[in-house]
Amino acid sequence: MTAREKPAHGGQRRWVAETYGRDERSWLDFSANLNPLGPPKAVRAALAAGLGQIVFYPDLEAKAATLAVAGYLKVAPDHILLTSGGMEAIYLAVRALQPAAALIAEPAFMGYREACAAAQVPAEGFTGRLEELLRRELEPRQMVLVGQPGNPTGQLEDPQVLMALLERLAAQGGNLLLDEAFIDFLPEPEAYSLRHAAGRPGLLVTGSLTKFFTLPGLRVGYALGPPPLLDALRRLKTPWSVSTLAQIAAAAAVQDAEFIAASRRLLPIARLELATALRKLGLFEVQEGQANYLLLDAAPSGLTAAQWAEGAARRGIMLRDASGFPGLTRYHLRVAVRRADENERLVAVLREIGEDRSLRQEDREV
Ligand SMILES: Cc1ncc(COP(=O)(O)O)c(C=O)c1O
């Protein structure tokens, strides 16, 4: 990636700092969908206490962290493999399963296509309702990748439809890869998660501690599936890919019940307030979804997503230009839900950009 080329993922602080000449620490980041309340207090204390352990190799099996995360997810410890972020789980899953072809429920997280490309698996997008796939002829050994909830829409799929799809795929030697990276933000994740079905042939669930527990820099995620399938992932995984500090943080994070409850109580309220304030601006169609982010269609404003992202960046705010997501338009943006004071600043800045005549001038000059 050259210095000016736009990164494929959100949260790229060094890139915006270099591009816009502002201190890396001064940015307000609405481009990465991270819990603004985290990380849990217990994590900082555990990391401080565990720092001395960096002189040793990490536990190869990440036993304490695996047991803690398995307990949090209520899955059997032999049905979970901890990975270096959810992304490693997705990459390993596609490589280990080597499907004949992949079908991605889009618009979706770019990482699915990247993982397929890395594993040389042909991938295509699918933009209809998932139910439609049940009526379609499925190819043998096909993999379907679905986000639950989807990124960038925040949309949830009906677990019964997912299970029916799994049955159809498994009957043909195929797989369902269900990415639950954002499911912890739901008030009741169990109602929509397929983690309880981990172990069923053909199902691989991936997840992440990055988003909900605000640990993007540590890299902890997981894959859930039948033990022989997890063994196949393990054989491809680099040993020690989950560092000692990542293991320590993971074990502490999932046991912080107070943090978990407060986040699930407060963030849906913040999302509703932000969505309401954004609608009031009259500049965007707001798609709220069930996650900690909103998908905005800026067509009513007359400004493109690139113009909104540029205008915000000049004011120290990172937005996700979502126009590159297959199935979306050049007017689509994604914004994370943050703390009330930060959301208010976002709304004020967006109002200012909407009134910025120079942007409209630039548009005419293009
Ligand atoms: C839907 C989705 N899944 C998975 C990931 C990967 O998360 P991580 O590797 O940081 O755990 C992301 C990151 O943006 C994501 O948006």
Side-chain angles (χ1 to χ4, degrees):
M1 191 174 78
T2 62
R4 296 246 147 207
E5 198 180 312
K6 245 191 210 158
H9 296 281
Q12 294 305 303
R13 304 178 80 82
R14 181 189 52 78
W15 183 85
V16 288
E18 284 177 0
T19 307
Y20 295 95
R22 239 176 214 267
D23 189 299
E24 249 181 70
R25 285 159 304 182
S26 73
W27 289 84
L28 190 45
D29 185 1
F30 283 86
S31 71
N33 302 317
L34 302 169
N35 186 343
L37 306 178
K41 278 201 199 78
V43 168
R44 291 188 193 276
L47 285 176
L51 200 56
Q53 293 188 44
I54 62 168
V55 299
F56 307 118
Y57 268 91
D59 177 4
L60 251 185
E61 287 164 24
K63 192 168 175 193
T66 301
L67 289 177
V69 179
Y72 163 69
L73 297 172
K74 300 192 181 75
V75 299
D78 64 340
H79 284 69
I80 179 168
L81 173 68
L82 287 197
T83 53
S84 176
M87 195 73 131
E88 189 185 40
I90 296 165
Y91 268 62
L92 288 175
V94 181
R95 279 179 64 207
L97 291 163
Q98 276 298 321
L103 196 57
I104 300 174
E106 287 181 331
F109 174 52
M110 309 282 191
Y112 308 153
R113 277 191 183 256
E114 291 168 359
C116 291
Q120 297 185 322
V121 167
E124 63 176 87
F126 166 80
T127 50
R129 297 290 310 166
L130 221 49
E131 286 89 328
E132 285 169 33
L133 281 188
L134 297 176
R135 292 189 286 274
R136 261 206 207 178
E137 192 71 31
L138 293 171
E139 307 280 324
R141 293 190 45 248
Q142 197 169 19
M143 173 185 270
V144 174
L145 293 99
V146 181
Q148 177 79 327
N151 171 12
T153 60
Q155 183 179 302
L156 286 166
E157 301 295 342
D158 179 345
Q160 283 185 352
V161 172
L162 289 169
M163 289 304 286
L165 181 59
L166 169 63
E167 219 166 280
R168 291 274 320 276
L169 286 163
Q172 300 252 57
N175 298 91
L176 174 64
L177 196 162
L178 192 68
D179 177 18
E180 300 190 348
F182 289 100
I183 205 151
D184 303 273
F185 288 94
L186 300 181
E188 285 182 68
E190 295 78 15
Y192 285 91
S193 172
L194 290 196
R195 59 179 68 142
H196 62 85
R200 287 276 189 110
L203 176 63
L204 199 104
V205 176
T206 59
S208 170
L209 271 63
T210 293
K211 318 288 183 178
F212 186 71
F213 294 102
T214 332
L215 301 172
L218 275 175
R219 319 298 306 131
V220 200
Y222 55 83
L224 308 177
L229 177 53
L230 295 186
D231 280 342
L233 269 69
R234 216 172 261 119
R235 282 193 288 276
L236 292 172
K237 186 169 128 2
T238 318
W240 307 295
S241 69
V242 186
S243 74
T244 301
L245 293 182
Q247 292 182 28
I248 289 172
V254 295
Q255 293 180 71
D256 196 330
E258 211 175 297
F259 171 84
I260 294 168
S263 300
R264 290 191 183 143
R265 191 175 63 248
L266 298 173
L267 291 175
I269 300 171
R271 183 183 67 223
L272 181 61
E273 284 174 356
L274 178 59
T276 306
L278 289 173
R279 285 193 182 105
K280 274 198 191 138
L281 291 178
L283 299 163
F284 312 105
E285 300 272 347
V286 181
Q287 185 172 337
E288 202 180 315
Q290 300 294 316
N292 58 320
Y293 41 85
L294 303 171
L295 182 61
L296 310 182
D297 180 347
S301 72
L303 295 178
T304 62
Q307 287 175 310
W308 280 105
E310 175 75 21
R314 286 188 200 160
R315 292 160 174 88
I317 287 191
M318 293 158 74
L319 302 180
R320 184 74 166 104
D321 173 349
S323 57
F325 284 76
L328 298 186
T329 71
R330 64 197 203 107
Y331 292 103
H332 280 97
L333 286 165
R334 192 194 63 206
V335 295
V337 175
R338 298 199 54 85
R339 287 195 325 254
D341 56 323
E342 297 171 326
N343 295 339
E344 279 163 24
R345 178 156 163 230
L346 171 70
V347 173
V349 161
L350 294 180
R351 181 181 294 114
E352 193 183 304
I353 297 170
E355 289 163 0
D356 185 344
R357 304 193 69 80
S358 71
L359 278 172
R360 286 163 207 283
Q361 190 63 35
E362 279 170 24
D363 198 22
R364 274 199 295 275
E365 284 164 4
V366 170

